Amino acid sequence: MARIRLGMVGGGRGAFIGGVHRIASRLDDHFELVAGCFSADADRSCASGGDLGLTPHRVYSDFDAMAKREARLKAGVEAVAIVTPNHMHAAPAKAFLRRGVHVICDKPMTTTLREAKSLAKAVESSDALFILTHNYTGYPMVRQAREMIRKGALGAIRLVQVEYAQDWLTEPLEETGQKQAAWRTDPARSGPGGAIGDIGTHAFNLVGFITGLEVEALSADLQSFVPERRVDDNAHVMLRLEDGARGMLWCSQIAPGNENALRVRIYGAKGGLEWAQEAPDTLWHAPLGEPKRRITRAGPGAGAAAARMSRTPAGHPEGYLEGFANIYAEAAAAIRARQAGAPPEPAATLPGVREGLAGVAFVDACIRSSTRNGAWVRPAV
Amino acid sequence: MARIRLGMVGGGRGAFIGGVHRIASRLDDHFELVAGCFSADADRSCASGGDLGLTPHRVYSDFDAMAKREARLKAGVEAVAIVTPNHMHAAPAKAFLRRGVHVICDKPMTTTLREAKSLAKAVESSDALFILTHNYTGYPMVRQAREMIRKGALGAIRLVQVEYAQDWLTEPLEETGQKQAAWRTDPARSGPGGAIGDIGTHAFNLVGFITGLEVEALSADLQSFVPERRVDDNAHVMLRLEDGARGMLWCSQIAPGNENALRVRIYGAKGGLEWAQEAPDTLWHAPLGEPKRRITRAGPGAGAAAARMSRTPAGHPEGYLEGFANIYAEAAAAIRARQAGAPPEPAATLPGVREGLAGVAFVDACIRSSTRNGAWVRPAV
Amino acid sequence: MARIRLGMVGGGRGAFIGGVHRIASRLDDHFELVAGCFSADADRSCASGGDLGLTPHRVYSDFDAMAKREARLKAGVEAVAIVTPNHMHAAPAKAFLRRGVHVICDKPMTTTLREAKSLAKAVESSDALFILTHNYTGYPMVRQAREMIRKGALGAIRLVQVEYAQDWLTEPLEETGQKQAAWRTDPARSGPGGAIGDIGTHAFNLVGFITGLEVEALSADLQSFVPERRVDDNAHVMLRLEDGARGMLWCSQIAPGNENALRVRIYGAKGGLEWAQEAPDTLWHAPLGEPKRRITRAGPGAGAAAARMSRTPAGHPEGYLEGFANIYAEAAAAIRARQAGAPPEPAATLPGVREGLAGVAFVDACIRSSTRNGAWVRPAV
Amino acid sequence: MARIRLGMVGGGRGAFIGGVHRIASRLDDHFELVAGCFSADADRSCASGGDLGLTPHRVYSDFDAMAKREARLKAGVEAVAIVTPNHMHAAPAKAFLRRGVHVICDKPMTTTLREAKSLAKAVESSDALFILTHNYTGYPMVRQAREMIRKGALGAIRLVQVEYAQDWLTEPLEETGQKQAAWRTDPARSGPGGAIGDIGTHAFNLVGFITGLEVEALSADLQSFVPERRVDDNAHVMLRLEDGARGMLWCSQIAPGNENALRVRIYGAKGGLEWAQEAPDTLWHAPLGEPKRRITRAGPGAGAAAARMSRTPAGHPEGYLEGFANIYAEAAAAIRARQAGAPPEPAATLPGVREGLAGVAFVDACIRSSTRNGAWVRPAV
């Protein structure tokens, strides 16, 4: 099958997530990077394009110009990956959607709820797909957990404990000029949420993805422990979900010893499931009254949902890039289906504008609740 | 050194914690059980006393009669262990304290705050000691954590994540007549708190013991998932501690796959500590910017506080009974010191009426907060 | 039930294993220490006896005098624990056996095969019991493993991987005068085996206990890495067991980072089992073609054999002392049965002279094989 | 930088390792697959080529014809990946080497020592590079271990414990016609070694890579547990290495519950290191007398050697494919350096014919030793 022609907005030298998207897009050979707007500074964009082996005339410094020109090219980009800081997601996304180019966008979708709703409308009125890289949903054992719950392995869900802890912002790294820390703690570029926006949204998204339950209300206590930091760096949230389920969500960027400790535990009337991102090939299943079972990717007990996301035999670890690539693989399938005239809804597992809106509304709700001293509020989606 | 003569109230056939107290009291050879009131039913008490090899005339069925008579005996009990259900702690405690017999009491101290305060007065006006078996504080690596924090290893404490999860009440076990489940879910015997009283108090106590910080306010969401259960079986609590520290506390008796999963994680400006009761000989220390270290009981890096609580070399696991016995060993030391005319304050590490009051106030505050939809309340101590 | 009157030979101040035996004997209230010969030096023995609260006239400095006198006392010792260095096991054991006093002896049984055989004869011609504290067999999950294998859970056993690694002799500790290191590296007191005798025998014993299979031949490569050390401090052994099973045994006292890392893994045609002494409450069971299961002491899946050795609910760790106490509890049962006139054979799970002989023969075979450059030899039992 | 044009021999439909090589070659964008001989059957080769998007005239069914033609093409392959069963490595390797095409070959290098030596000569007389994909050496934390040892972190190496356990051949899978099982248990295609050749060589290679020590002699006991299996499915090996170090190596394909449990533990006079392939981002370091440290890829304590092999931040797991891709990345660097006229020796970390010979000699020595009942033999390299 021919590779899908991919463009990129953002992701120049010094960026982190752009490189991840490029590997993820390439890993299963579904995409080929052919154009990019890596910086608003022409020289820098050019240099990055050169690093990546792009022809100079497919390297841009203005995403709108890129969208316009690529849309006219015979072999212009079919899809574009948007990997800029959060405040720069919506505008390029709209520019490409308007021209029928599929958009694969990093999360959180936007910095404000208003902007999120506006982007949602743009998606609705476009023929192109909008895909949000909530990459942790691409892990095979996350798929396995989702499948098991849908099949009733846990009975009625009662509890969700989810957390995402890091330590990289324990000290005021943003004051050193470190690029990632600088924009991620700047409300103008990152949005009003700090930890809650950057990683809390992943935790929140994972809960919905795995359980299928929506959060009906939440009570949040957001903190900013590092002096002069302008956004939260730690958040405590209590959750009330559909059907009487309850939960807690903790996210932190100031918890020494934690790297990317995203962990979810789900308990129902008939059993429990536990999964941790740092050991992603393992899912613990505790059927009530039986010994706990260690289900491994591609090992005994792993089902079809995990198998679809799996490349190597059990015991040969797949990790973050493979999980990310799974989102790209599903995106490729959706794009090809759309190109072949398939019905408008892609796979339920592929995160899109709905998940994007939910994430932004979640951040908004956490901030509203915390401002009102932990009052229970409903995410406004 | 002569063994301290110990009596017991409660702990007859079919009880659980009585047997634990007996082993713990015996393990280091500081106590000898010589009398007991194992049941209000004379025949049952007698049978239990017989099982334990007691002389029949030292077996009672009325704790008050026991207190009265033993106090008059030349070689009467010097201390008494109270291991009845929660609602039966205060009365026997007072009966023995009044007669100058030291009391070692199971937790939570009482079922109501009012009763707790009344008992506190009784302790104050007695020459005898009151010791509360918050046994998890007896684990060597809990001592190690406390010592490290006091010495500044974590810098200023910012965060506490504590949880105590079990699964034994996932189904309505109390309806089967199981004795433990019956009284622990009966508000009349257990107090108004279910999980929050039974295990939440342990989690709460551990936070204070290790960090030295008090909880200034809390917001709680208590649930009762099993239909017709009369007390909470799951609780979510957000904490605000002294000096700006924050925390979350989760306790549950309905989380399948969890046995006694008490776990505490503490993060400060300079590092983190993590400890889990089910692997109690290990303490994880993450100094900021250095690899995480696995400190083991009696291994390199373990200090004097852990060593004092340790009997065997590193790698020979000590567990729950040893931790419990450490409370008894400290109790023995305090009793002997008191008998030798030492000043009134025993070791700061020995939990007593102050911790008992704090625990009951914690449960009270959680219930008040939850009733008011998670309003922040201050534990009233 | 009345406690069994216990004496002790060895275990004075500065000793390690004596204290362990005392706690283990006391933990379940089956024994009461009433006499002892803690040192051949009268003053030292007396001091140790005083520490332990013994009446001075029950403290001896000559084990033979002790045996003679105690045997004549009306309430003399019924059993004696022998906790001296290895070369001092046989003589006191014989002195007490000859007088009908039950012997509970530390391992390895003797330093030489000749001495072991002589002791075996003494046991045979005595009415008293001889019990060898291969304490690791007392762990509940070791019992569980044995039971599962006997019931066929693994099918035919094919493989055994066993290891016991420590690091305390990585440096020449014996040169510092440390008492434990001094006698354990002294062939005159410890026997010709160093690591292989001290801990290799435990590993070897565990294999037989769990699988029921005998070692038919072995090929050993013994090393002494620390210069001037007089015994092996590391040993590699390949095993050929009954019924075509094979195995490897590694023991070491010079493997930095290992405390008491005794671990056994057993694989059969239908599944595998894995157990580690440092996390003794857990047994991993991998039924072929199914997810691995984590069986916990007193948790779902644990059977009668584990339950018999268990005091507390699942999730409340039991450790080394409890495992050791299980041997004492079985010893107590055997002694009482013998006193009640039961048939001569105690429980198959109680290690005795047969296991003692096997252990000494194993050490002897390892040394013979290693001396002959790894030739396959058969342990001579 | 332009991608290196890559061909492939083997790896058609139903093969396993071919797909791994393709992803690994693509992951970092150093190679582009442009030609292949996927089967000796023209139709099958063609079908596989089609799956991979190759132009039909670059798909062959005769590796010799492929080598001949590609060498003449202006944009013919610059390198070729050989991913056929073991007995088909040497011939195609020679065909390409002879024509100056760089060879990236799967392991073990050949099925016989004679063939290995012949191939070694071919490599010597070619200008092209020969790279052997001992992929486990590509893991960042394996690099970290190697670097630490070279810098003296462990002092003099004393001990190596290495094992590679699987369970996929616990039953006679080869009798079901499963393709992988069929050729890997067929001496004609796999060579005389079964488990020892397939996975034992990886374990052996890893020891040399990490420690820099050669095996001077070994004593092996090979078994074939599954009836009628024609090669070993389990192997026990004792090792004597340079400088007095000793070791044990276990490999198995019949150990239920093991997936790809490759694990290496190395102990020196000053510390220990432990690494397991199934959790590859973690390296445990036990400096003698200090707490054990958990060093993570890209976390604190990880050095330059690991950083070079790392793509994502700590806590975002990298796995098998990334490790494999690291070999391809180093191969690309070596090929480009060679193309630029660099001196003949590529990076010391890149496995080549030397490691290939050593591996085949290791298998040969194991079989010779086992045949002679475990006699110590020296691998003939």
Side-chain angles (χ1 to χ4, degrees):
Chain A
M1 235 171 328
R3 294 175 190 143
I4 296 166
R5 295 180 302 276
L6 181 71
M8 178 165 279
V9 177
R13 288 180 178 174
F16 155 59
I17 203 69
V20 167
H21 278 254
R22 287 191 293 266
I23 295 178
S25 70
R26 191 163 59 226
L27 202 135
D28 294 309
D29 216 18
H30 295 305
F31 293 88
E32 167 108 44
L33 183 71
V34 297
C37 171
F38 303 103
S39 170
D41 175 305
D43 287 349
R44 298 170 65 114
S45 189
C46 208
S48 294
D51 291 350
L52 299 168
L54 296 190
T55 346
H57 68 275
R58 301 292 286 278
V59 179
Y60 307 81
S61 58
D62 175 332
F63 65 78
D64 210 66
M66 174 179 169
K68 209 175 296 178
R69 181 156 176 271
E70 287 288 329
R72 275 197 236 115
L73 285 180
K74 198 169 170 184
V77 297
E78 297 162 277
V80 68
I82 297 179
V83 295
T84 42
N86 307 342
H87 71 305
M88 288 286 293
H89 289 170
K94 287 177 182 175
F96 284 92
L97 286 169
R98 198 179 309 138
R99 278 128 182 151
V101 176
H102 305 292
V103 169
I104 299 170
C105 183
D106 210 68
K107 48 52 54 190
M109 192 165 77
T110 61
T111 54
T112 67
L113 196 48
R114 183 188 175 138
E115 206 180 21
K117 287 178 177 169
S118 158
L119 177 51
K121 275 189 199 151
V123 172
E124 214 174 316
S125 60
S126 168
D127 284 339
L129 292 164
F130 179 86
I131 292 144
L132 195 74
T133 49
H134 263 307
N135 58 293
Y136 299 116
T137 65
Y139 276 113
M141 299 318 273
V142 166
R143 300 296 174 106
Q144 170 77 17
R146 175 184 159 100
E147 184 183 51
M148 288 175 71
I149 286 175
R150 290 166 80 94
K151 289 193 173 161
L154 300 199
I157 301 302
R158 292 171 167 178
L159 280 183
V160 173
Q161 298 290 336
V162 66
E163 59 190 46
Y164 195 153
Q166 300 179 327
D167 65 4
W168 70 296
L169 292 176
T170 298
E171 296 192 321
L173 187 60
E174 60 267 42
E175 294 177 8
T176 68
Q178 204 256 18
K179 189 175 165 174
Q180 290 295 322
W183 81 256
R184 285 181 202 266
T185 58
D186 175 4
R189 287 180 280 173
S190 173
I196 196 74
D198 194 24
I199 55 178
T201 47
H202 275 306
F204 169 80
N205 172 260
L206 207 52
V207 168
F209 184 84
I210 295 178
T211 66
L213 297 177
E214 295 207 357
V215 170
E216 295 185 336
L218 58 81
S219 163
D221 193 27
L222 270 53
Q223 302 93 33
S224 189
F225 280 103
V226 172
E228 311 198 29
R229 180 158 289 160
R230 288 172 296 163
V231 293
D232 63 273
D233 48 24
N234 188 78
H236 296 164
V237 191
M238 301 197 296
L239 306 173
R240 292 180 182 161
L241 300 103
E242 289 177 277
D243 301 335
R246 301 292 172 100
M248 288 175 108
L249 182 152
W250 169 48
C251 64
S252 185
Q253 293 171 323
I254 54 131
N258 288 281
E259 296 178 337
N260 278 287
L262 169 60
R263 192 161 74 115
V264 62
R265 296 175 287 176
I266 299 170
Y267 303 105
K270 290 168 49 184
L273 283 178
E274 305 183 352
W275 179 82
Q277 190 269 151
E278 296 189 357
D281 273 356
T282 300
L283 178 68
W284 293 94
H285 177 211
L288 187 62
E290 293 182 36
K292 202 177 272 196
R293 297 170 189 175
R294 184 177 182 272
I295 306 176
T296 58
R297 186 187 52 75
R308 267 195 300 276
M309 300 287 114
S310 204
R311 292 161 194 82
T312 53
H316 276 150
E318 298 197 2
Y320 176 79
L321 294 169
E322 288 83 350
F324 217 111
N326 285 335
I327 303 296
Y328 266 89
E330 288 204 322
I335 289 169
R336 284 168 176 151
R338 180 64 58 94
Q339 291 174 338
E345 279 302 311
T349 46
L350 193 59
V353 76
R354 186 177 161 280
E355 287 72 16
L357 258 172
V360 177
F362 166 74
V363 174
D364 173 79
C366 287
I367 292 172
R368 280 190 292 131
S369 171
S370 192
T371 307
R372 293 168 51 204
N373 201 27
W376 287 94
V377 305
R378 168 183 287 268
V381 247
Chain B
M1 235 169 332
R3 294 176 189 145
I4 296 166
R5 295 181 300 276
L6 182 70
M8 179 165 277
V9 177
R13 287 179 177 176
F16 155 59
I17 204 69
V20 167
H21 278 253
R22 286 191 293 266
I23 295 178
S25 70
R26 193 163 58 226
L27 202 135
D28 295 308
D29 215 17
H30 294 306
F31 294 88
E32 167 106 43
L33 184 70
V34 297
C37 171
F38 303 104
S39 169
D41 176 304
D43 287 348
R44 297 170 64 114
S45 189
C46 209
S48 294
D51 291 351
L52 300 167
L54 296 190
T55 345
H57 68 274
R58 301 292 288 276
V59 180
Y60 307 81
S61 58
D62 175 330
F63 64 79
D64 210 66
M66 174 180 170
K68 210 175 293 179
R69 181 158 177 271
E70 287 288 328
R72 275 197 235 116
L73 285 181
K74 197 169 171 185
V77 297
E78 297 162 277
V80 68
I82 298 179
V83 296
T84 42
N86 307 342
H87 70 306
M88 287 285 294
H89 288 171
K94 287 177 183 174
F96 284 92
L97 286 168
R98 198 179 310 137
R99 279 126 181 155
V101 175
H102 304 292
V103 169
I104 299 170
C105 183
D106 211 66
K107 48 53 55 190
M109 191 164 77
T110 61
T111 54
T112 66
L113 195 48
R114 183 189 174 136
E115 204 180 23
K117 287 177 178 169
S118 157
L119 177 51
K121 275 188 199 151
V123 172
E124 214 173 318
S125 59
S126 167
D127 283 338
L129 292 165
F130 179 86
I131 293 145
L132 195 74
T133 49
H134 263 307
N135 58 293
Y136 299 115
T137 65
Y139 275 114
M141 299 318 275
V142 166
R143 300 297 174 105
Q144 171 76 17
R146 174 183 160 101
E147 182 183 51
M148 288 175 72
I149 286 175
R150 292 167 80 93
K151 289 192 171 161
L154 300 200
I157 302 302
R158 290 172 167 176
L159 279 182
V160 173
Q161 298 289 337
V162 66
E163 58 190 46
Y164 194 152
Q166 300 178 328
D167 66 4
W168 70 296
L169 292 176
T170 299
E171 296 193 320
L173 187 60
E174 60 267 43
E175 293 177 8
T176 68
Q178 204 257 16
K179 187 175 167 175
Q180 291 294 321
W183 80 256
R184 286 181 202 267
T185 60
D186 175 5
R189 286 180 282 172
S190 173
I196 197 73
D198 195 22
I199 54 177
T201 48
H202 275 307
F204 169 80
N205 172 260
L206 208 53
V207 168
F209 184 84
I210 295 178
T211 66
L213 298 177
E214 294 206 359
V215 170
E216 295 186 335
L218 58 79
S219 164
D221 194 25
L222 270 53
Q223 303 94 32
S224 188
F225 281 104
V226 171
E228 313 200 28
R229 179 158 290 160
R230 289 172 295 161
V231 291
D232 62 275
D233 49 23
N234 188 78
H236 294 163
V237 190
M238 301 196 295
L239 306 172
R240 292 181 180 159
L241 300 105
E242 288 177 277
D243 301 336
R246 301 290 172 99
M248 289 176 106
L249 183 153
W250 169 47
C251 63
S252 185
Q253 293 172 323
I254 54 128
N258 289 281
E259 297 178 335
N260 278 287
L262 169 61
R263 193 163 72 115
V264 61
R265 297 175 286 176
I266 298 169
Y267 302 105
K270 291 165 51 184
L273 284 179
E274 304 183 351
W275 179 82
Q277 191 269 151
E278 295 188 356
D281 273 356
T282 301
L283 178 69
W284 293 94
H285 177 213
L288 186 63
E290 295 182 35
K292 203 176 270 195
R293 297 169 188 173
R294 185 176 182 272
I295 305 177
T296 59
R297 186 187 53 74
R308 266 195 300 277
M309 300 287 113
S310 204
R311 292 161 194 81
T312 53
H316 276 149
E318 298 196 3
Y320 175 80
L321 294 169
E322 288 84 350
F324 217 112
N326 285 334
I327 304 295
Y328 266 89
E330 287 203 322
I335 289 169
R336 283 167 177 153
R338 180 64 57 95
Q339 291 174 337
E345 277 304 311
T349 45
L350 192 59
V353 77
R354 186 176 162 280
E355 287 72 17
L357 258 173
V360 178
F362 166 74
V363 175
D364 172 79
C366 287
I367 292 172
R368 280 190 292 132
S369 171
S370 192
T371 306
R372 295 168 50 204
N373 200 27
W376 288 93
V377 304
R378 168 185 287 268
V381 246
Chain C
M1 231 166 338
R3 294 175 189 146
I4 296 166
R5 294 181 303 276
L6 182 71
M8 178 165 278
V9 177
R13 290 179 177 175
F16 156 58
I17 204 69
V20 167
H21 278 253
R22 286 191 294 265
I23 295 177
S25 70
R26 192 163 57 226
L27 203 134
D28 295 308
D29 216 19
H30 295 305
F31 293 88
E32 167 107 43
L33 184 71
V34 297
C37 172
F38 304 103
S39 169
D41 175 303
D43 287 348
R44 297 172 64 115
S45 189
C46 208
S48 295
D51 292 350
L52 299 168
L54 296 189
T55 346
H57 67 274
R58 301 291 288 275
V59 180
Y60 306 81
S61 58
D62 175 332
F63 65 79
D64 211 65
M66 174 178 168
K68 207 175 297 177
R69 182 156 174 271
E70 288 289 329
R72 276 198 236 115
L73 285 180
K74 197 168 170 186
V77 297
E78 297 162 277
V80 68
I82 298 178
V83 295
T84 42
N86 308 341
H87 71 304
M88 287 286 292
H89 289 172
K94 288 177 182 174
F96 284 91
L97 287 168
R98 199 179 309 136
R99 278 125 182 155
V101 175
H102 304 293
V103 169
I104 299 169
C105 184
D106 211 68
K107 47 53 53 192
M109 192 164 77
T110 62
T111 54
T112 66
L113 196 48
R114 182 187 177 138
E115 204 181 22
K117 288 178 177 168
S118 156
L119 176 52
K121 276 190 197 148
V123 173
E124 214 174 319
S125 60
S126 168
D127 284 338
L129 292 164
F130 179 86
I131 292 145
L132 196 72
T133 49
H134 263 306
N135 57 293
Y136 299 116
T137 64
Y139 276 114
M141 300 317 275
V142 166
R143 299 298 174 103
Q144 171 76 16
R146 174 182 159 102
E147 183 183 51
M148 288 175 71
I149 286 175
R150 291 166 81 94
K151 289 192 172 160
L154 301 200
I157 301 301
R158 291 171 168 178
L159 280 182
V160 173
Q161 297 290 335
V162 65
E163 59 190 46
Y164 195 152
Q166 299 178 329
D167 65 4
W168 70 295
L169 292 176
T170 299
E171 297 192 321
L173 187 62
E174 61 268 42
E175 293 176 8
T176 68
Q178 205 258 15
K179 190 174 166 175
Q180 291 295 321
W183 80 255
R184 286 181 202 267
T185 59
D186 174 6
R189 287 179 282 173
S190 172
I196 197 73
D198 194 24
I199 55 177
T201 47
H202 275 304
F204 168 79
N205 172 259
L206 208 52
V207 168
F209 184 83
I210 295 178
T211 66
L213 297 176
E214 296 208 355
V215 170
E216 295 185 334
L218 58 81
S219 164
D221 193 26
L222 271 51
Q223 304 92 33
S224 188
F225 280 103
V226 171
E228 312 200 29
R229 180 159 289 161
R230 289 172 297 163
V231 292
D232 63 273
D233 48 23
N234 188 78
H236 295 164
V237 190
M238 300 196 295
L239 306 172
R240 292 181 181 161
L241 299 103
E242 288 177 276
D243 301 335
R246 301 291 173 101
M248 290 176 104
L249 182 151
W250 169 48
C251 64
S252 185
Q253 293 171 322
I254 55 129
N258 289 281
E259 296 177 337
N260 278 287
L262 169 60
R263 192 161 73 115
V264 62
R265 295 176 287 176
I266 299 169
Y267 303 104
K270 291 167 49 184
L273 283 178
E274 304 183 352
W275 179 82
Q277 191 268 151
E278 296 189 355
D281 273 356
T282 301
L283 178 68
W284 292 94
H285 177 213
L288 187 62
E290 295 181 37
K292 202 177 273 196
R293 297 168 189 177
R294 184 177 183 271
I295 305 177
T296 59
R297 184 187 53 75
R308 266 196 300 277
M309 300 286 115
S310 206
R311 291 160 196 82
T312 54
H316 275 150
E318 297 197 2
Y320 176 80
L321 293 169
E322 288 84 350
F324 216 111
N326 285 334
I327 303 297
Y328 266 88
E330 289 203 322
I335 288 169
R336 284 167 176 152
R338 179 63 57 96
Q339 290 174 338
E345 276 305 309
T349 46
L350 193 60
V353 76
R354 187 176 161 280
E355 287 74 15
L357 258 173
V360 178
F362 165 75
V363 175
D364 173 79
C366 287
I367 293 172
R368 279 190 292 132
S369 171
S370 191
T371 306
R372 293 167 52 205
N373 201 25
W376 287 93
V377 305
R378 168 183 287 269
V381 246
Chain D
M1 232 168 334
R3 295 176 188 144
I4 296 166
R5 296 182 301 276
L6 182 71
M8 178 165 277
V9 177
R13 287 179 179 175
F16 155 60
I17 205 67
V20 167
H21 278 253
R22 287 191 293 266
I23 295 178
S25 70
R26 192 163 57 226
L27 202 134
D28 295 309
D29 216 17
H30 295 305
F31 293 88
E32 167 107 42
L33 184 70
V34 297
C37 170
F38 303 103
S39 170
D41 175 304
D43 287 347
R44 298 171 63 114
S45 189
C46 210
S48 294
D51 293 349
L52 299 168
L54 295 189
T55 346
H57 69 273
R58 301 292 287 277
V59 179
Y60 307 82
S61 57
D62 175 331
F63 66 78
D64 211 64
M66 174 179 169
K68 209 175 294 176
R69 180 156 178 273
E70 287 288 329
R72 275 197 236 117
L73 285 180
K74 196 169 170 185
V77 298
E78 296 162 278
V80 68
I82 298 179
V83 295
T84 41
N86 308 341
H87 71 304
M88 287 286 292
H89 289 171
K94 287 176 181 173
F96 285 92
L97 286 168
R98 199 180 309 135
R99 279 123 182 158
V101 175
H102 305 292
V103 169
I104 299 170
C105 182
D106 210 67
K107 48 51 53 189
M109 192 165 77
T110 62
T111 54
T112 67
L113 196 48
R114 183 188 175 136
E115 204 180 22
K117 287 179 176 168
S118 156
L119 176 51
K121 276 191 198 148
V123 172
E124 215 175 317
S125 60
S126 167
D127 284 338
L129 292 165
F130 178 85
I131 292 146
L132 196 74
T133 50
H134 264 307
N135 58 293
Y136 299 115
T137 65
Y139 276 113
M141 299 318 275
V142 166
R143 299 297 173 105
Q144 170 77 17
R146 175 184 159 101
E147 183 184 50
M148 287 175 73
I149 287 174
R150 291 167 81 93
K151 289 191 172 163
L154 300 200
I157 301 301
R158 290 171 168 177
L159 280 183
V160 173
Q161 297 290 335
V162 67
E163 57 190 48
Y164 195 152
Q166 300 178 328
D167 64 5
W168 72 294
L169 293 175
T170 299
E171 297 192 321
L173 186 61
E174 60 267 42
E175 293 176 8
T176 68
Q178 205 258 15
K179 189 175 166 174
Q180 291 293 322
W183 80 256
R184 286 182 201 266
T185 59
D186 174 5
R189 287 179 282 173
S190 172
I196 198 73
D198 194 21
I199 55 177
T201 47
H202 275 305
F204 169 80
N205 172 260
L206 207 53
V207 167
F209 184 83
I210 295 178
T211 66
L213 298 177
E214 295 205 359
V215 169
E216 295 185 336
L218 59 80
S219 163
D221 194 25
L222 271 52
Q223 303 93 34
S224 188
F225 281 102
V226 172
E228 312 199 30
R229 180 158 289 161
R230 289 172 296 161
V231 292
D232 63 273
D233 49 23
N234 187 77
H236 295 165
V237 190
M238 300 196 294
L239 307 172
R240 292 179 181 162
L241 300 102
E242 288 177 276
D243 301 336
R246 301 292 172 98
M248 290 176 105
L249 181 153
W250 169 47
C251 64
S252 185
Q253 293 170 323
I254 55 128
N258 289 281
E259 297 178 336
N260 277 287
L262 169 59
R263 193 162 72 115
V264 61
R265 295 175 288 176
I266 299 169
Y267 303 104
K270 290 166 49 184
L273 283 179
E274 304 184 351
W275 179 81
Q277 192 269 151
E278 295 188 357
D281 273 356
T282 300
L283 178 68
W284 293 95
H285 176 213
L288 186 63
E290 294 181 37
K292 204 177 270 196
R293 297 169 189 174
R294 185 176 182 271
I295 306 177
T296 58
R297 185 187 54 74
R308 267 195 300 277
M309 300 287 113
S310 205
R311 292 159 194 83
T312 54
H316 276 149
E318 297 196 3
Y320 177 79
L321 294 169
E322 288 84 350
F324 217 111
N326 286 334
I327 304 296
Y328 265 89
E330 288 203 322
I335 289 169
R336 284 169 177 153
R338 179 63 58 94
Q339 290 175 337
E345 276 305 311
T349 45
L350 193 59
V353 77
R354 186 177 162 280
E355 286 73 16
L357 258 173
V360 178
F362 166 74
V363 175
D364 172 79
C366 286
I367 292 171
R368 281 189 291 131
S369 172
S370 191
T371 307
R372 294 167 51 203
N373 200 26
W376 288 92
V377 305
R378 169 184 287 268
V381 247

